Amino acid sequence: MANQTTLTAPNDTRSALGMAAPALIGLFLFVALPFTLAAILSFTNLRLGSPLPTRFIGLEQYARIFSEPSFRRALLNNAIFALVVVPLQTAIALGLAILLNRPLRGMAIFRTLFFMPVVFPMALVSVIWILIYAPGANGMMNSFLDFITFGLWEPRDFLRDPYLALPAIMLLSMWQGVGFQMVILLAGLQSVPSDLYEAAAIDGSNKWNQFLHVTLPQLRNTLIFVMLVTSILSFRLYDQIEIMTNGGPLDATTTVMYEAVTAAYQQQKMAKGAAMTVVFFLVVLMITLIQRTLIKEERAMD
Amino acid sequence: MKQVQEISQEASTGGSRGSAMTHDELMTHRKNQQRVSMIGSYVVLTILALLFIAPILFMIVGSFKPDNLVLIEAGSLKAFVPENPSLQNYQDVFNRVNFTQFFWNSIFITGAIVLFGLLVNSMAAYAFSRLQWRGRDIIFPVIIALMIIPFEAIAVPLFFQMTWLGLRNTYTAQIIPFIANAFSIYLFYTFFIVLPKELEEAARVDGAGPIRTFFEIIVPVSKPVFASVAILTFLTQWGSFLWPTMIAVGEKVRPLPVAIAQFQTLPPIQWGDIMAFGVMMVAPMLVIFLIFQKWFVQGVASSGIKG
């Protein structure tokens, strides 16, 4: 403590402010300010290039967006996406992480291969998968499904099929994202003390029981983190939609972010877009709060 | 030690099964079991890996094929076999669009964000983690709180701000909003806060100010966190699509993700060219990834260890 006080030169405050200033100014101008602006705009009727004067209209903008079937459908699509992708992708990532966590040769190569799609920009992934989903019996996905079902599969036009478009987008999103989760879970697995497994083995517990009673509880925090990050990512869904389907067919793949950008950018309805992003933020906030509570609970139990 | 444990384990499980097998037999039995499960793992992993990298191989092989064959052969195993590979598609990309310009735009924008971001965010994290000053304990929690605001939540008003400032279709609008980053500050902070106090003491006693101490003492020992933050920032920015779609469609400032989305709809649609575009777009990321793999994985993992 004594050391600390002698070290604290009187001019630290000036240097500190000087060093923190660029970041603080940046965060204020490009995060805090637009964030506040989003809230304010959402209570107005601002439209770029509109002859009508901008005025406060209270919650009317919110009432308006929630009365739109396409926006309600967007919320539903995001929710469906999260409900399917989050558990499925986490389970696959966990399976891969467990397979890779064995001290066998060549695991680094497999890890590299599974991680590789994470490096691919989503815009590029979307473009490649448009071709993979090409309609007709010649399409890659169609012929693959035909092969594994021994010819039972009828060729489909995935991205123009109201029932298949969203699942098709889910598949490529999982393909791109699973490596990210896998690496985080692998780091979590490697921090599980090995004597816990040894103790369990001595007690005669089999692999499945070891997984249930050692691996899962030890990975609890990592799993919660990974699942909630993926949930937030599913609500941020935009790139794939813009490039592959434009929200169609029949709003089957539209998302909150797609609706918000369309309103603000294509229709110049700033206030409407802002209200949608506020709704988006509230969802993300809710998910984050759930994460905080769940992880705190775990800490309290320790 | 491990040997001993294994034997005692054999003994206990062996006991419950009766004593039909001797210890030696049990050991070989167990070894065989392990071998079977090992081979099983490899088989499962190989099948998964093949399915997994199929789209990537498809793209790379397709980029060397005549345009018409990419679609025709997509449904057969020929999709993964380049017969008579040629660089024609790569040439076509350069002839049809200004690829060099798009590539440079991406390099310049991403590079500027990474470099300025490293400087600005590490300095801020240093001020918060190792300097004594008034206001620190009030401002830092606010910065941490900003981490929960995803970019998407501010895209619309930021678009309004930038349009109002007349910055549409500029590099500036694509760079300055992304330099200061709360999450980067947090990553630097967690690294700096655990460095030993003694590190700077000598420098401070010799009369070096905080700024000199930072650059001469802290930065050199903090290479791992700089590498992690640089790679994470690069990864995010190289693939950034939403913001440039809104703010930068002009050809002079258009980055690669927007460029490929537009190229993909540019008639005549030639899939070989599109694949070649894709390979050239992801090549820098793949090269950096393969060289700095360890840092990549650490960077990504460290972003996950904050529960």
Side-chain angles (χ1 to χ4, degrees):
Chain A
M1 254 351 246
N3 253 345
Q4 225 170 22
T5 42
T6 51
L7 269 177
T8 310
N11 63 348
D12 258 13
T13 301
R14 272 179 70 190
S15 316
L17 276 177
M19 292 177 85
L24 294 180
I25 293 170
L27 289 174
F28 173 76
L29 284 181
F30 305 117
V31 182
L33 185 63
F35 183 66
T36 319
L37 206 57
I40 298 173
L41 281 180
S42 71
F43 295 117
T44 71
N45 62 348
L46 178 70
R47 242 187 115 154
L48 288 187
S50 158
L52 292 170
T54 303
R55 56 186 178 85
F56 277 84
I57 55 168
L59 289 171
E60 205 179 299
Q61 202 67 256
Y62 289 93
R64 219 178 279 171
I65 60 171
F66 277 107
S67 71
E68 270 182 16
S70 58
F71 185 72
R72 291 204 304 259
R73 183 65 200 260
L75 271 171
L76 179 70
N77 284 341
N78 275 134
I80 295 173
F81 189 95
L83 284 174
V84 175
V85 167
V86 173
L88 204 58
Q89 189 180 329
T90 310
I92 298 170
L94 183 58
L96 290 177
I98 289 173
L99 276 173
L100 290 180
N101 196 33
R102 310 182 60 190
L104 299 178
R105 273 165 171 239
M107 287 300 135
I109 297 170
F110 285 114
R111 191 184 64 188
T112 307
L113 292 178
F114 292 125
F115 188 76
M116 209 174 259
V118 178
V119 186
F120 277 61
M122 191 41 96
L124 175 56
V125 171
S126 309
V127 169
I128 304 171
W129 283 72
I130 289 177
L131 184 49
I132 291 176
Y133 287 136
N138 266 343
M140 181 173 272
M141 186 56 78
N142 272 324
S143 35
F144 175 71
L145 290 172
D146 181 73
F147 175 73
I148 59 166
T149 58
F150 303 105
L152 287 175
W153 178 260
E154 300 270 328
R156 305 288 277 269
D157 188 351
F158 296 92
L159 296 174
R160 287 191 194 79
D161 183 320
Y163 295 103
L164 289 178
L166 194 58
I169 285 179
M170 287 172 180
L171 182 64
L172 75 104
S173 309
M174 290 198 289
W175 176 77
Q176 202 257 0
V178 76
F180 178 81
Q181 286 195 337
M182 178 198 75
V183 161
I184 293 173
L185 289 171
L186 201 52
L189 278 178
Q190 279 163 359
S191 66
V192 177
S194 60
D195 45 331
L196 286 181
Y197 289 107
E198 279 158 21
I202 288 170
D203 289 347
S205 119
N206 61 26
K207 286 272 184 246
W208 175 244
N209 280 327
Q210 287 180 27
F211 173 75
L212 279 187
H213 300 296
V214 179
T215 313
L216 281 187
Q218 287 288 318
L219 275 186
R220 193 192 128 108
N221 273 358
T222 319
L223 279 170
I224 292 173
F225 171 78
V226 152
M227 291 183 78
L228 288 151
V229 166
T230 322
S231 322
I232 292 174
L233 288 176
S234 12
F235 277 89
R236 293 166 70 172
L237 199 61
Y238 174 82
D239 302 6
Q240 301 93 305
I241 307 300
E242 161 76 35
I243 294 176
M244 301 180 82
T245 62
N246 284 313
L250 305 169
D251 287 335
T253 60
T254 194
T255 65
V256 173
M257 276 322 295
Y258 185 76
E259 292 289 316
V261 173
T262 311
Y265 178 66
Q266 280 167 23
Q267 306 168 3
Q268 309 274 303
K269 293 177 180 165
M270 290 295 147
K272 189 178 169 191
M276 290 175 176
T277 54
V278 170
V279 173
F280 159 80
F281 174 72
L282 292 176
V283 173
V284 169
L285 183 68
M286 210 174 63
I287 299 172
T288 313
L289 291 178
I290 294 173
Q291 175 188 355
R292 296 275 152 89
T293 356
L294 286 176
I295 289 179
K296 262 191 195 133
E297 248 174 41
E298 165 76 3
R299 275 188 192 138
M301 285 196 308
D302 278 341
Chain B
M1 186 57 201
K2 198 150 187 192
Q3 204 94 29
V4 175
Q5 256 162 1
E6 253 171 37
I7 291 171
S8 68
Q9 197 178 312
E10 293 309 332
S12 66
T13 49
S16 64
R17 275 188 210 144
S19 47
M21 285 191 242
T22 67
H23 273 165
D24 280 356
E25 280 170 344
L26 256 173
M27 289 297 268
T28 41
H29 176 68
R30 207 177 145 79
K31 282 233 171 79
N32 282 337
Q33 263 188 337
Q34 274 178 345
R35 191 162 299 147
V36 169
S37 101
M38 185 186 88
I39 292 170
S41 299
Y42 278 125
V43 170
V44 171
L45 280 170
T46 309
I47 294 173
L48 285 174
L50 285 177
L51 283 177
F52 215 74
I53 55 165
I56 299 176
L57 281 179
F58 178 45
M59 174 184 77
I60 296 172
V61 171
S63 74
F64 295 109
K65 275 187 181 179
D67 276 304
N68 54 336
L69 285 187
V70 176
L71 257 183
I72 294 172
E73 296 180 347
S76 66
L77 285 177
K78 280 187 184 167
F80 305 103
V81 188
E83 286 170 61
N84 312 317
S86 94
L87 289 172
Q88 186 59 42
N89 297 327
Y90 289 85
Q91 232 171 4
D92 288 348
V93 173
F94 287 96
N95 290 336
R96 292 176 65 194
V97 287
N98 198 344
F99 184 85
T100 322
Q101 178 76 45
F102 305 146
F103 195 81
W104 163 249
N105 294 340
S106 271
I107 292 274
F108 181 74
I109 295 163
T110 310
I113 294 172
V114 171
L115 285 180
F116 287 116
L118 286 180
L119 182 73
V120 161
N121 296 314
S122 67
M123 285 200 311
Y126 176 71
F128 285 114
S129 59
R130 306 197 68 92
L131 298 178
Q132 305 281 324
W133 50 292
R134 281 158 140 247
R136 182 184 73 170
D137 300 335
I138 302 163
I139 303 176
F140 190 63
V142 175
I143 290 191
I144 293 300
L146 289 182
M147 272 173 31
I148 63 165
I149 304 177
F151 174 74
E152 286 84 349
I154 54 175
V156 171
L158 196 63
F159 175 62
F160 177 63
Q161 256 179 297
M162 291 294 163
T163 310
W164 184 71
L165 290 169
L167 290 174
R168 281 177 86 163
N169 285 322
T170 59
Y171 285 134
T172 318
Q174 296 183 77
I175 295 170
I176 49 164
F178 304 100
I179 292 174
N181 184 298
F183 185 55
S184 300
I185 296 177
Y186 172 80
L187 286 180
F188 280 119
Y189 180 91
T190 53
F191 189 91
F192 293 157
I193 196 87
V194 293
L195 293 174
K197 274 261 176 273
E198 294 76 29
L199 207 60
E200 303 135 291
E201 256 167 27
R204 301 295 293 261
V205 169
D206 285 348
I211 296 177
R212 238 187 89 191
T213 313
F214 173 66
F215 284 105
E216 288 179 7
I217 312 285
I218 302 289
V219 174
V221 298
S222 307
K223 281 178 196 142
V225 67
F226 276 89
S228 291
V229 174
I231 282 169
L232 278 181
T233 314
F234 190 73
L235 190 61
T236 323
Q237 294 302 330
W238 192 259
S240 164
F241 180 73
L242 169 71
W243 181 243
T245 311
M246 297 172 81
I247 205 78
V249 283
E251 185 159 323
K252 284 227 167 92
V253 294
R254 187 189 303 161
L256 288 168
V258 181
I260 197 172
Q262 294 188 348
F263 187 63
Q264 173 246 328
T265 58
L266 184 77
I269 293 175
Q270 302 200 306
W271 282 103
D273 296 0
I274 296 169
M275 299 300 200
F277 193 118
V279 171
M280 289 193 283
M281 171 178 178
V282 81
M285 289 304 296
L286 280 182
V287 170
I288 294 177
F289 168 60
L290 291 173
I291 298 174
F292 299 102
Q293 222 197 100
K294 207 179 95 196
W295 297 119
F296 250 92
V297 175
Q298 271 178 13
V300 167
S302 72
S303 73
I305 307 167
K306 56 168 201 166

